[in-house]
Amino acid sequence: QVQFVESGGGLVQPGGSLRLSCAVSGSIFAIYAMAWYRQAPGKQRELGAGISSGGYRTNYRDSVKGRFTISRDNAKNTMYLQMNSLNSEDTAVYYCNHQTPSDYWGRGPQVTVSS
């Protein structure tokens, strides 16, 4: 079964930055469009950013455009999310998955933006 191992979360002050990583195994990573999802307390997971299989096309939730950058390195079976200018509305657990998600979710790291 496919496995997603996310890392890079933590506590950051408003305006700060974090970089998340997602290591993928158990699937042919390079053929799948990927995405970062996030889930705030009491809410369903939502799509934050997506990236095509080759990494040349990206899409973002409006609220993170200009602040977040999604990327991938297919040779390393790894996806990244650079998050800048973080604010309290970005506080959530972050998950990576296929853009059409698998049922097998990783243990997403907590990102907390607070002063």
Side-chain angles (χ1 to χ4, degrees), residues 2 10 15-16 18-19 33 97 103 111-112:
V2 64
L18 286 172
R19 191 190 193 207
N97 211 317
D103 289 337
V111 172
T112 301

Side-chain angles (χ1 to χ4, degrees), residues 17-59:
S17 297
L18 286 172
R19 191 190 193 207
L20 305 182
S21 297
C22 171
V24 183
S25 63
S27 72
I28 307 174
F29 177 73
I31 71 171
Y32 288 102
M34 297 290 298
W36 285 98
Y37 301 83
R38 64 186 188 180
Q39 186 172 25
K43 297 183 178 180
Q44 291 187 290
R45 273 187 284 262
E46 64 181 23
L47 180 68
I51 187 167
S52 63
S53 60
Y56 297 107
R57 300 289 184 272
T58 59
N59 61 88

Side-chain angles (χ1 to χ4, degrees), residues 7 11-12 14-15 20 29-31 42 44-45 47 54 56 67 69 72 77 94 96 99 114:
S7 61
L11 175 65
V12 64
L20 305 182
F29 177 73
I31 71 171
Q44 291 187 290
R45 273 187 284 262
L47 180 68
Y56 297 107
R67 301 188 298 117
T69 302
R72 65 192 293 165
N77 286 186
Y94 283 71
C96 68
Q99 192 151 359
S114 177

Side-chain angles (χ1 to χ4, degrees), residues 80-96:
Y80 307 95
L81 185 67
Q82 178 67 46
M83 304 184 293
N84 298 326
S85 301
L86 287 161
N87 59 63
S88 62
E89 294 183 354
D90 298 317
T91 295
V93 177
Y94 283 71
Y95 302 90
C96 68

